[in-house]
Amino acid sequence: MILSTLIWFPILGAIALALVPSRYLKWAALILSGSILLGSLWIAYQFDITQPLIQFREDLPWLATLGLNYQLGVDGLSLPLIILNTLLTWIAIYSSPEATERPRLFYGLVLLISGAVSGAFLAQNLLLFFLFYEIELVPFYLLIAIWGSEKKSYAAMKFLLYTAVSGALIFVAFVGLVWLQGADSFAYTALAGNTLPLWQQLILLAFVLIGFGIKIPLVPLHTWLPDTYVAASAPIAMLLGGVLAKLGTYGIFRFGLGLFPEAWGTLAPGLATWATVSVLYGATVAIAQKDIKRMVAYSSVGHMGYILLGGAALTELSLVGAVAQMFAHGLILAILFHLVGMVEAKVGTRELDVLNGLMNPLRGLPLVSALLVLGGMASAGIPGLVGFVSEFLVFQGSYAVFPLQTLLCVVGTGLTAVYFVILLNRTCFGKLDNAIADFPKVEWRERVPALILSLTILFLGLQPTWLVRWSEASTHAMVAVLPPVTQVTTLAQVLDRE
Amino acid sequence: MDVANLASQLNAGAILPEGAVILTLMVVLIGELALGRASAARWTPYVAIAGLLLSVGLLCLQWDLTPTLSFLGSFNADKLSIVLRSIIALSTLVTILMSIRYVEQAGSSIGEFMTILLSATVGGMFLCGAEELTMIFVSLETLSIASYLLTGYMKRDPRSNEAALKYLLIGAASSAVFLYGLSLLYGLSGGETHLSAIANALAQGTNHLGLLIALVFVIAGISFKIAAVPFHQWTPDVYEGAPTPVVAFLSVGSKAAGFALAIRLLTQAFPAVVEQWQFIFTALAILSMVLGNVVAIAQTSMKRMLAYSSIGQAGFVMIGFVIGTEAGYASMIFYLLIYLFMNLGAFTCIILFALRTGTDQISEYAGLYQKDPLLTLALSLCLLSLGGIPPLAGFFGKIYLFWAGWQAGAYGLVILGLVTSVISIYYYIRVVKMMVVKEPQEMSDVVLNYPAINWTPLGMRPLQVGLFVTLIATSIAGILSNPLFTLVNNAVVEVPHLQTANAAKTPMAILPTTTPELPAPLVSNSDSTAL
């Protein structure tokens, strides 16, 4: 029941917001999202971390003709993402400005997205996942198109079309799998451990990879990302980068790795290389940016590459690292987008060439700058912060399998440090120009989201067990069923085996 | 043959629902003549609505009866025909709800309008069960001629006249071609007019070329009715010129009748050339999906956009038709049912907007959410449902279609369907964007001067009811689609010739369909086609 609550409470709440007087709208939205945050934490409390299987199962018959049943469940892979989703929803609602236009629609859509994303993470039926995956499409379109900044209309349409194509590809993969397998239902458990020939698995996996690759996004499917992230307002960019991109990585792990382990093993070297290309591309392009929001957006492209690398290496450690990286990246990207949004709101620009000396204790934005430094450090993987933990686990786990790719990715983290140094150096340090330094004061309540996020980043960086223990049992089970990757490294060997 | 025997052969009870419609039609017509236009306008619409509800109710009562051939075999009241007749009656019902105010405001007579519309309905309903060539042609012409009249109903509007003339000329030509196809069938089968007798006679004959020519002619006639590309040329102009409620009826009721004709005529009379007609329809489906959805992007008029979108939607429906499996037919009919609500819902909204502002241009919808949130919500949901966004009904309709198509091995068609659905999302969301996203300062002039919302004038209440009914159906019919789909599936399972078409084409059907003792002639057909 509790899992359904996570989905339906926000969705019904979104509808109920229509009846709330406009003065209390934000409070109502905060209470709704706060209660699902508590709900997800309660699930975490009840969650048995030694148990690798799906927990809190719910199973109701729905459209049996289609093989679509209402099947929910949570395991170590989805639990951290659920918490991330509910946490970032609350923060997005909290940090949205008081003067948001058309607040009823705004909060309603955010809550709707929260419910749909939870539904996608919890769905144990492929078609149910697809349904939830498609539901968030139009709300996100509207959130970008109505509350975005310049070029919002173009960006929103681009986002919509890319995501719709991604949905179509995923649908083809799912339907193809069920048909080839001869199953009469889209239930995940019935399809995991399928016995398809390798070439069929490879074709289906290719559809899954490209479909979710658009969502993540991986180079070269990423062209929608800079436009969309930049056009979206800060709370929406937070949700886009923090939560929505995780639907892609989650999908690749759950439906790529989980359903086609053999094909995944075959493609693993290619995937690791793909991940490396993404990492290096994202980092180098970020260095060239003049707009800090765009820079953060490209940093996301790079960081998603680590997750794919961890998945490709397929060791227990690298998978734990990848799941941790999903959570860590969500937190870090959220804080960065939040602070960049704050800088833009207070200073009025995002141009690197204009920004200067915000660290100035009297006339600048000292706390915002300090937290921005923290966020940048976390993103660059400085020890003591959560980014380090997950990246270290990924690299440690992957090095034995793909030494070259891992080393190149380590170079990528170095490049991350480069562009964050550029960003921080230009924005926070230097001499503040007195002519423009007349910024509105940062209220204490505006600092709350960034403080919560940075404390979480710091705490999980110092106490990483709290981050990784949820997924250990599940990833262990995932690896246990897999053929070791190192045995099959080239396509030629695969063809020989056939 | 004595009278009692003849009466038992007639089985006149089978057409009671049509009888109810005809009776209503006469009450409406005579009522208006007797009491004058102004006073009749107050009650005739409700009589028409009541009559159609009665007709649907009678159809429901017939559901559990054993299907019998009536009128000496020319009318088949099986479950398939019951479902399709209900779709047509319902589409007329919703069309009447939306047309009262429209016709009233245009200053024309609502009684006459409804009389013609009900005649078209009767024609369409008979077409759904017709199993005999003369019957098919007469009911098809009843539907067509009534449609021509409706198209030209706004006689003072030159565009309406132009549309009627175009529709009439092209329609008459296509009827002639269709009739020629039927005459070939008649000749080839040695003078048979009943569909299964024709199939039986043709199975033994060898005149393949003649049969193919007849097939092509018949398909041309049907494609005209369902507006499949390349027989769609009349659609945009007619849709733009004709009164909007008529367009709504043409795009749903008339189209459903066309599909009903296709199911019955092609599967029953042409089992010898299943491969061929499925091939032709595959081509039509591909062309319709691509052209309908691509050209719709460029439209600036709402009615024209929906005209092209309805061509594309017909393409999706044809996927279910060409794969020839039971699940395919069931999902096709289910989609027609869903399409009825979402498309008529969209038309209701357009009519409401046109009544209040007098325009159909998409750009004039800018900023509507501020002035009329209900209309914005309803039109957005209907359009998104047409685009296949979950959890609306259209999403489930498409899933059923694509899943059936994939199971039957029509991978190319399904992938093309998915791609064109993505394209269709683009132009549907464009309208939603106009209404929802535009800032107050970007509002169009007509929206700026939007009249106060007033549901009291004559005919506005029915419009409101129609809006809510279609809106609710569009929102929940997908989520609760299990009973509906089961119903449709039962209707399809009981029709024997749909299963033979299936067995001939794809032996690897979804469910192991146990086809118990088929009627003798049909068995021989399936043998001959299986070769």
Side-chain angles (χ1 to χ4, degrees):
Chain A
M1 260 332 275
I2 177 77
L3 295 188
S4 289
T5 321
L6 286 187
I7 303 172
W8 296 108
F9 196 66
I11 291 182
L12 296 177
I15 299 168
L17 278 189
L19 306 172
V20 176
S22 28
R23 284 177 54 207
Y24 304 112
L25 267 178
K26 189 164 179 178
W27 282 109
L30 277 178
I31 291 169
L32 283 168
S33 54
S35 43
I36 53 165
L37 173 59
L38 292 179
S40 64
L41 291 176
W42 192 77
I43 291 176
Y45 176 70
Q46 295 276 312
F47 187 81
D48 179 2
I49 53 170
T50 57
Q51 175 66 261
L53 297 173
I54 302 289
Q55 303 181 28
F56 299 98
R57 262 179 199 287
E58 289 177 29
D59 197 339
L60 293 172
W62 187 13
L63 305 178
T65 339
L66 279 177
L68 169 59
N69 290 317
Y70 184 76
Q71 292 160 320
L72 302 180
V74 66
D75 67 356
L77 182 57
S78 45
L79 182 68
L81 297 173
I82 292 286
I83 298 175
L84 183 70
N85 174 36
T86 51
L87 174 70
L88 290 189
T89 305
W90 188 83
I91 288 187
I93 290 177
Y94 185 92
S95 66
S96 60
E98 289 292 327
T100 303
E101 280 174 49
R102 298 161 74 181
R104 213 175 287 276
L105 188 59
F106 181 85
Y107 296 125
L109 290 176
V110 171
L111 286 171
L112 190 63
I113 287 174
S114 171
V117 170
S118 289
F121 285 139
L122 293 173
Q124 295 298 319
N125 181 301
L126 269 57
L127 215 48
L128 189 66
F129 170 86
F130 176 70
L131 194 146
F132 282 120
Y133 184 83
E134 291 277 292
I135 286 183
E136 38 77 16
L137 197 71
V138 174
F140 258 120
Y141 168 82
L142 292 175
L143 284 172
I144 299 165
I146 299 179
W147 291 276
S149 54
E150 76 273 23
K151 273 179 81 185
K152 57 187 181 180
S153 173
Y154 167 77
M157 192 55 96
K158 203 167 174 184
F159 166 82
L160 182 82
L161 291 178
Y162 269 84
T163 318
V165 170
S166 134
L169 292 171
I170 294 164
F171 181 73
V172 168
F174 287 178
V175 168
L177 170 65
V178 173
W179 169 233
L180 290 172
Q181 179 73 7
D184 56 351
S185 135
F186 282 85
Y188 185 81
T189 41
L191 296 168
N194 62 72
T195 48
L196 296 179
L198 188 58
W199 66 273
Q200 289 181 347
Q201 286 198 26
L202 283 172
I203 294 174
L204 294 173
L205 181 61
F207 275 101
V208 170
L209 284 175
I210 298 174
F212 287 114
I214 293 175
K215 195 81 167 182
I216 292 179
L218 295 167
V219 179
L221 308 167
H222 69 287
T223 49
W224 61 271
L225 175 135
D227 290 318
T228 310
Y229 282 19
V230 171
S233 63
I236 303 310
M238 225 186 255
L239 288 179
L240 275 170
V243 178
L244 199 66
K246 302 306 172 299
L247 268 184
T249 50
Y250 171 80
I252 278 199
F253 276 50
R254 174 77 75 200
F255 303 108
L257 175 58
L259 290 178
F260 312 105
E262 207 182 335
W264 181 275
T266 311
L267 289 184
L271 292 177
T273 312
W274 192 6
T276 316
V277 171
S278 254
V279 167
L280 293 177
Y281 176 88
T284 33
V285 176
I287 292 176
Q289 298 307 312
K290 291 288 171 212
D291 174 337
I292 52 175
K293 199 167 181 185
R294 206 166 258 274
M295 195 180 252
V296 173
Y298 273 108
S299 86
S300 177
V301 176
H303 283 86
M304 293 317 238
Y306 303 140
I307 301 176
L308 186 60
L309 176 71
L314 268 190
T315 60
E316 220 171 293
L317 206 55
S318 73
L319 279 181
V320 169
V323 177
Q325 170 71 359
M326 291 189 208
F327 193 81
H329 173 264
L331 291 178
I332 296 169
L333 201 71
I335 192 171
L336 287 173
F337 270 129
H338 175 69
L339 294 172
V340 165
M342 187 97 90
V343 168
E344 191 191 1
K346 301 293 174 191
V347 183
T349 179
R350 299 192 308 250
E351 292 298 312
L352 269 185
D353 297 336
V354 183
L355 289 166
N356 220 343
L358 291 183
M359 199 62 127
N360 187 317
L362 293 175
R363 313 191 58 175
L365 307 166
L367 186 68
V368 169
S369 310
L371 292 177
L372 195 58
V373 173
L374 181 97
M377 280 162 64
S379 189
I382 303 294
L385 300 169
V386 70
F388 171 77
V389 177
S390 50
E391 284 173 24
F392 183 76
L393 283 172
V394 168
F395 296 148
Q396 173 81 1
S398 316
Y399 183 75
V401 190
F402 301 118
L404 180 67
Q405 284 93 334
T406 310
L407 283 177
L408 285 172
C409 283
V410 174
V411 173
T413 56
L415 293 174
T416 311
V418 170
Y419 63 77
F420 272 112
V421 165
I422 296 177
L423 189 153
L424 298 174
N425 191 24
R426 300 266 177 86
T427 345
C428 304
F429 302 106
K431 189 174 180 314
L432 190 60
D433 185 357
N434 279 336
I436 59 162
D438 188 21
F439 307 137
K441 199 167 157 28
V442 179
E443 309 273 341
W444 261 107
R445 54 184 176 76
E446 289 177 296
R447 294 174 176 156
V448 171
L451 284 174
I452 294 177
L453 286 171
S454 44
L455 284 177
T456 322
I457 288 172
L458 194 62
F459 174 74
L460 291 179
L462 297 174
Q463 188 57 274
T465 341
W466 281 68
L467 178 61
V468 296
R469 66 174 184 178
W470 312 107
S471 42
E472 270 171 340
S474 293
T475 45
H476 179 80
M478 266 173 135
V479 174
V481 300
L482 295 170
V485 182
T486 37
Q487 286 177 3
V488 184
T489 40
T490 60
L491 210 62
Q493 280 172 299
V494 178
L495 296 175
D496 287 348
R497 230 171 40 159
E498 289 288 290
Chain B
M1 193 183 283
D2 59 298
V3 177
N5 192 9
L6 187 66
S8 71
Q9 290 257 321
L10 279 182
N11 258 328
I15 60 158
L16 265 183
E18 283 78 3
V21 178
I22 294 173
L23 191 69
T24 319
L25 182 159
M26 286 160 74
V27 170
V28 170
L29 184 65
I30 296 169
E32 187 174 32
L33 284 175
L35 300 175
R37 197 202 266 185
S39 63
R42 299 195 179 287
W43 57 271
T44 45
Y46 301 101
V47 172
I49 291 165
L52 285 167
L53 283 175
L54 175 70
S55 168
V56 175
L58 288 171
L59 283 169
C60 294
L61 288 181
Q62 285 192 351
W63 182 259
D64 288 327
L65 302 182
T66 13
T68 39
L69 288 177
S70 53
F71 292 93
L72 307 170
S74 47
F75 189 80
N76 192 345
D78 54 7
K79 287 186 178 172
L80 180 70
S81 86
I82 292 180
V83 172
L84 289 164
R85 283 146 85 199
S86 311
I87 291 180
I88 292 177
L90 279 176
S91 76
T92 309
L93 182 64
V94 183
T95 308
I96 288 182
L97 288 176
M98 69 174 94
S99 59
I100 302 168
R101 182 71 212 154
Y102 188 93
V103 178
E104 192 66 27
Q105 196 153 319
S108 304
S109 156
I110 178 76
E112 281 170 30
F113 179 84
M114 285 189 307
T115 311
I116 308 175
L117 185 60
L118 289 171
S119 323
T121 313
V122 172
M125 285 171 79
F126 274 127
L127 194 56
C128 293
E131 287 215 336
E132 200 254 356
L133 294 183
T134 325
M135 177 85 182
I136 288 176
F137 188 71
V138 169
S139 33
L140 183 68
E141 281 306 284
T142 314
L143 172 63
S144 301
I145 293 173
S147 306
Y148 307 146
L149 288 173
L150 286 172
T151 310
Y153 195 71
M154 296 295 141
K155 44 183 174 281
R156 288 183 201 83
D157 180 357
R159 285 190 313 164
S160 177
N161 285 320
E162 184 199 327
L165 190 62
K166 270 189 183 158
Y167 194 24
L168 174 66
L169 290 177
I170 304 178
S174 103
S175 288
V177 171
F178 182 72
L179 190 57
Y180 191 49
L182 294 189
S183 74
L184 280 178
L185 269 186
Y186 178 76
L188 288 170
S189 62
E192 295 289 349
T193 58
H194 195 273
L195 291 185
S196 53
I198 290 175
N200 202 14
L202 290 179
Q204 286 125 30
T206 49
N207 198 338
H208 208 60
L209 184 66
L211 186 59
L212 280 184
I213 295 174
L215 175 70
V216 169
F217 284 176
V218 164
I219 287 184
I222 295 172
S223 305
F224 169 77
K225 231 21 278 128
I226 57 180
V229 178
F231 301 96
H232 71 289
Q233 307 287 356
W234 58 278
T235 331
D237 289 334
V238 171
Y239 278 23
E240 196 175 16
T244 320
V246 176
V247 181
F249 178 75
L250 288 182
S251 72
V252 178
S254 172
K255 218 166 244 199
F259 276 110
L261 172 64
I263 294 183
R264 224 165 261 284
L265 186 55
L266 291 180
T267 58
Q268 210 165 352
F270 293 95
V273 284
V274 173
E275 301 285 344
Q276 283 81 352
W277 70 252
Q278 287 186 340
F279 174 76
I280 297 176
F281 261 95
T282 309
L284 293 175
I286 292 172
L287 289 172
S288 301
M289 284 192 285
V290 172
L291 189 120
N293 285 313
V294 171
V295 178
I297 294 175
Q299 302 308 312
T300 53
S301 153
M302 195 73 187
K303 272 161 90 176
R304 267 187 106 88
M305 190 201 90
L306 279 182
Y308 280 106
S309 109
S310 82
I311 294 174
Q313 300 279 347
F316 296 136
V317 176
M318 275 185 261
I319 295 181
F321 185 53
V322 294
I323 54 177
T325 59
E326 236 170 62
Y329 293 118
S331 53
M332 161 193 176
I333 296 168
F334 178 74
Y335 196 82
L336 280 175
L337 193 61
I338 296 283
Y339 174 70
L340 181 155
F341 290 113
M342 54 196 187
N343 211 40
L344 289 182
F347 271 108
T348 308
C349 297
I350 296 175
I351 288 177
L352 197 54
F353 186 76
L355 284 176
R356 287 175 182 164
T357 62
T359 173
D360 286 321
Q361 291 301 308
I362 294 176
S363 55
E364 301 289 354
Y365 282 78
L368 185 65
Y369 78 94
Q370 288 241 318
K371 302 279 181 166
D372 198 341
L374 172 69
L375 180 58
T376 309
L377 177 76
L379 185 53
S380 301
L381 285 184
C382 288
L383 290 180
L384 291 177
S385 175
L386 282 167
I389 303 282
L392 302 166
F395 170 80
F396 291 91
K398 277 198 183 132
I399 293 272
Y400 279 114
L401 269 178
F402 292 161
W403 179 222
W406 194 279
Q407 282 179 314
Y411 311 114
L413 269 183
V414 172
I415 290 176
L416 188 73
L418 283 167
V419 171
T420 47
S421 313
V422 171
I423 298 175
S424 77
I425 292 175
Y426 174 79
Y427 60 78
Y428 290 125
I429 205 110
R430 216 161 45 112
V431 181
V432 177
K433 183 179 110 185
M434 263 309 158
M435 296 188 293
V436 181
V437 176
K438 292 283 179 188
E439 309 286 338
Q441 60 270 21
E442 296 169 303
M443 215 180 256
S444 68
D445 289 340
V446 292
V447 174
L448 214 54
N449 302 318
Y450 204 72
I453 291 163
N454 181 5
W455 292 107
T456 43
L458 174 70
M460 285 307 267
R461 284 290 162 201
L463 195 65
Q464 196 181 15
V465 171
L467 188 68
F468 278 109
V469 168
T470 50
L471 181 61
I472 292 169
T474 305
S475 311
I476 63 169
I479 298 171
L480 307 176
S481 62
N482 215 15
L484 269 182
F485 192 80
T486 316
L487 196 86
V488 173
N489 210 23
N490 287 344
V492 170
V493 169
E494 289 208 355
V495 182
H497 57 261
L498 293 187
Q499 287 163 7
T500 47
N502 168 14
K505 172 84 190 304
T506 44
M508 34 136 197
I510 317 107
L511 304 166
T513 40
T514 45
T515 29
E517 304 109 49
L518 290 170
L522 293 168
V523 171
S524 68
N525 294 341
S526 66
D527 287 345
S528 67
T529 49
L531 290 173

